[in-house]
Amino acid sequence: MYGKLLRINLSTEQVSVEEIPEWVAKKFIGGEGINNWLLWEHFLKVDPRIDPKSPDNVMIIGNGNLAATAFGSGTKVKFTFKGTAYNMFADSVSGGTFGPAMRWAGYDYIVITGKASRPVYIWLDNNRVEIRDAGHLWGKGVFETQDTIKKELGDHQNVEIACIGPSGENQVSYASITVGGKRSAGRCGAGCVLGSKNLKAIAARGTRGFPIADPTAFFQAIDEYRRRLNTIPTIDNWRQFGTLTAPDFYNVIGSNHYRNCQENILPPDAISKLNGQAYFKTIYKRGVSCSPGCAAACSSEHVINGDETPEAKNWAGEHGDKPEYLTVSSFGMGCDVRDIASVAHWQKKCGDLALDILEIGNACGFIMELREKGILTEEDISQWIGEKVSASWGDSNFIEKAIESVAYQKNQFGQIFKDGVYQGARRIENIKGVPVLKYVVFGKGGSVINEEVRPFPVWAINMAVASRGCCHLKGLSWLDKSERRDISMAWFGRPEAGQGYSPALKGAGAARSENHITAINLLGICVFTGFFDPLILSLDVFARGYSAATGFPLTGEELYLAGERAYNLEKAFNSRLGLRREHDMLCERWLKEPTPHGPGKGMKVEDYFQQVLDEYYDYHGWDKSTGLQKRSKLEEIGLGDIIPVLEKDHAVV
Amino acid sequence: MVKIEVNYYTTFAKITGKSYETVEMENPTLRELVTQLLRKYGRKLSEITWDEAQGDLKNGISVLINGRNLPLDTKLQSSDQVAFLMPMAGG
């Protein structure tokens, strides 16, 4: 009634199904909330300080209650685990078709533990669960794996697959899971965890569906959601350009990541080859949604014929989904490759090898900067790669080789960057005896984001504190980048959080954005459509959809509180691992180097960081001096039961 | 007279059919420039840009002066760059 949970122990091949308890559903709602509770429960029995590549780690896959419905905000499936990339709390989210197939097969949540004795894949055929041999799939890329599985299951139409590629098999710590062939659960190493469990893929065929508690009320909620969505002035633009709205907007406000974030505005000749117009004039084919049930449908498909851009001939015949902004920023802007076809190719290549785009793209830009500064030579890099590369700005051949080197662990370059850019930089310091960490662009946990943050204090704080390591999806605040004074007025009764290029009220803005976005993530839907405009699409709108779908009354206020509760559980998990205020940090470039261009020229994070961080902790009700949660706050939000656990780890004040 | 460079991005470029133009006006405010452009490009531009009831730009639309979101009564100077943008964050 509150959701079906499938448990699979790969060591013993035991499979069981249970109901999500009522009190859990009422407290954590669903999606990210119930995933977090399942993670917390797992690590009450297992020491959270384990090596995340060990069989004791867990992989939790969860859908929210609006996922795989016609509500209109798409479906985002959430993978939750202890992360291999940054050794802390981790979750990764993806669109695509696997989440809906899993839910239509009858499972809202899957908890995978243990380690298979040989490569396997899981086959969920509605209510039948099978663990099948995957020896013949090991070593194959995602696309070949999916085709092979569908062929052997005799169904190309209804089987949907989440699987890993060579990166996960080779234990690259930032390996991802490719979902439905075109979308990725990236960043924290979800693919590495599956690889460590000898789990190549999970295939699902769901034709059973699930009941909606009050169909009439649900259709009313859908109508209200879509009517409100269509009044957002930017919605038609979003439907066409999606995240490729950002290159132009960011170039005006000074938020792009150019040449490893040495610059924040691209020259005209570069931006014109990497913006939304460049994509639509060259390789765009047709608009699509990334997952079923989305009324915004901001994705699209591309086809490369070979003559659209200077480098398109290298990728002629390829097709795939639209490159998202962070793919463009990682490879196109960060490495100064002024070719949208090449960017689209690398998105597909990283999907096939199931490798996180931000981390490998950032690694390439970092190497190019070291090469420009003369710290590394062409000979150094060519020796690591095993063949001659230039690795100067715009060198597509180097990027191609770098991706393969890491995914297949085929040479020294691959080994240097097996655990991300931050760890790679430390290895280069050991090899060369020269300090290079100051050129790595990163935030919490050593994780990267390929966007400029210095002039945008909400963003800077969100990148310094995010529970899964530096990440835009734990805040996604439009407050300061879009200068939304109206949102600031509604949230705080004051406009300052929506006034750009100033630290005023930005700590509170960062904290409230985290709680709000987590609330949306409890429902298994897209945060972009969900967070488009939190005034027009208030949490009440989503709560009414949830209530109609499940039959359990929920208000927007209760949804927000559940979001805050879920985010506090992520914080508590990290506190158990020893993370404190000093771990909420950013790289030297962002802290100490002035923003080079644009309206925020001259701003650097160290000028406002501590003061805004204080306000962030205050708003959350956390302790400023340690960064830890306070007992009183945990009791206030209904998490008093976790206090004894935190006390044992000296992780609460 | 002041010369203002006006840049149009994404959907705004589609509506106006251009990515930029130079507008000459006598000592204008941003409101006067926007009003003139709304008249020039008609309903398609005003529908997504202008809140008739509030007499203001719609919330969520960015018309920036040199990258800054400034009040509509801001006086424009020669060589100011005004940008019509669809704002967003993340990617």
Side-chain angles (χ1 to χ4, degrees), chain A residues 319-330:
Chain A
H319 57 90
D321 268 17
K322 177 192 76 183
E324 298 294 352
Y325 171 73
L326 282 167
T327 311
V328 174
S329 73
S330 298

Side-chain angles (χ1 to χ4, degrees), chain A residues 473-493:
Chain A
L473 291 177
K474 291 292 180 189
L476 198 66
S477 181
W478 295 41
L479 276 166
D480 61 349
K481 284 197 179 184
S482 297
E483 297 201 69
R484 292 295 301 268
R485 294 176 182 84
D486 56 330
I487 297 174
S488 180
M489 285 300 295
W491 282 4
F492 307 114

Side-chain angles (χ1 to χ4, degrees), chain A residues 233-234 237 240-241 245-246 248-250 252 324-326 451 459 472 476-478 482-486 500-501 599, chain B residues 9-14 48-49 58-62 64 66-70 83 85-91:
Chain A
T234 56
N237 180 85
Q240 182 182 359
F241 290 92
T245 303
D248 283 332
F249 177 56
Y250 278 11
V252 172
E324 298 294 352
Y325 171 73
L326 282 167
E451 292 193 32
W459 271 70
H472 62 301
L476 198 66
S477 181
W478 295 41
S482 297
E483 297 201 69
R484 292 295 301 268
R485 294 176 182 84
D486 56 330
Y501 312 101
Chain B
Y9 295 96
T10 55
T11 293
F12 290 114
K14 282 179 71 181
I48 59 166
T49 310
K58 285 189 172 178
N59 287 327
I61 290 292
S62 288
L64 307 181
N66 304 322
R68 292 302 316 271
N69 188 348
L70 299 172
L85 289 149
M86 295 289 179
M88 65 159 292

Side-chain angles (χ1 to χ4, degrees), chain A residues 107-280:
Chain A
Y107 305 110
D108 300 286
Y109 303 91
I110 305 175
V111 173
I112 301 167
T113 52
K115 178 180 181 178
S117 57
R118 67 201 190 287
V120 297
Y121 73 93
I122 295 169
W123 169 220
L124 310 175
D125 188 7
N126 287 314
N127 56 355
R128 192 166 61 86
V129 182
E130 201 179 325
I131 298 170
R132 298 171 69 112
D133 184 71
H136 59 302
L137 302 171
W138 212 249
K140 292 189 191 306
V142 162
F143 302 122
E144 192 181 351
T145 299
Q146 295 198 337
D147 283 347
T148 307
I149 291 176
K150 288 181 179 184
K151 198 176 284 179
E152 67 193 37
L153 296 174
D155 186 348
H156 281 263
Q157 191 66 33
N158 296 311
V159 173
E160 305 297 348
I161 298 168
C163 74
I164 63 168
S167 311
E169 295 170 10
N170 291 321
Q171 293 294 276
V172 176
S173 69
Y174 51 100
S176 52
I177 297 174
T178 302
V179 177
K182 292 178 176 175
R183 313 303 300 188
S184 287
R187 306 313 323 273
C188 308
C192 185
V193 173
L194 288 201
S196 74
K197 294 183 175 302
N198 272 332
L199 181 57
K200 178 71 177 176
I202 308 152
R205 175 162 57 195
T207 56
R208 300 165 72 202
F210 49 84
I212 294 292
D214 184 343
T216 304
F218 194 59
F219 279 120
Q220 285 169 350
I222 291 173
D223 281 348
E224 183 191 10
Y225 169 74
R226 292 179 188 227
R227 185 172 43 75
R228 286 176 179 249
L229 183 74
N230 287 331
T231 66
I232 295 173
T234 56
I235 185 61
D236 284 338
N237 180 85
W238 183 260
R239 286 182 172 124
Q240 182 182 359
F241 290 92
T243 61
L244 290 188
T245 303
D248 283 332
F249 177 56
Y250 278 11
N251 224 43
V252 172
I253 66 170
S255 186
N256 276 326
H257 168 98
Y258 182 54
R259 293 195 170 194
N260 198 36
C261 217
Q262 293 179 95
E263 311 278 341
N264 60 328
I265 290 179
L266 278 68
D269 190 46
I271 192 69
S272 64
K273 294 182 173 64
L274 293 169
N275 61 9
Q277 294 291 350
Y279 170 70
F280 282 98

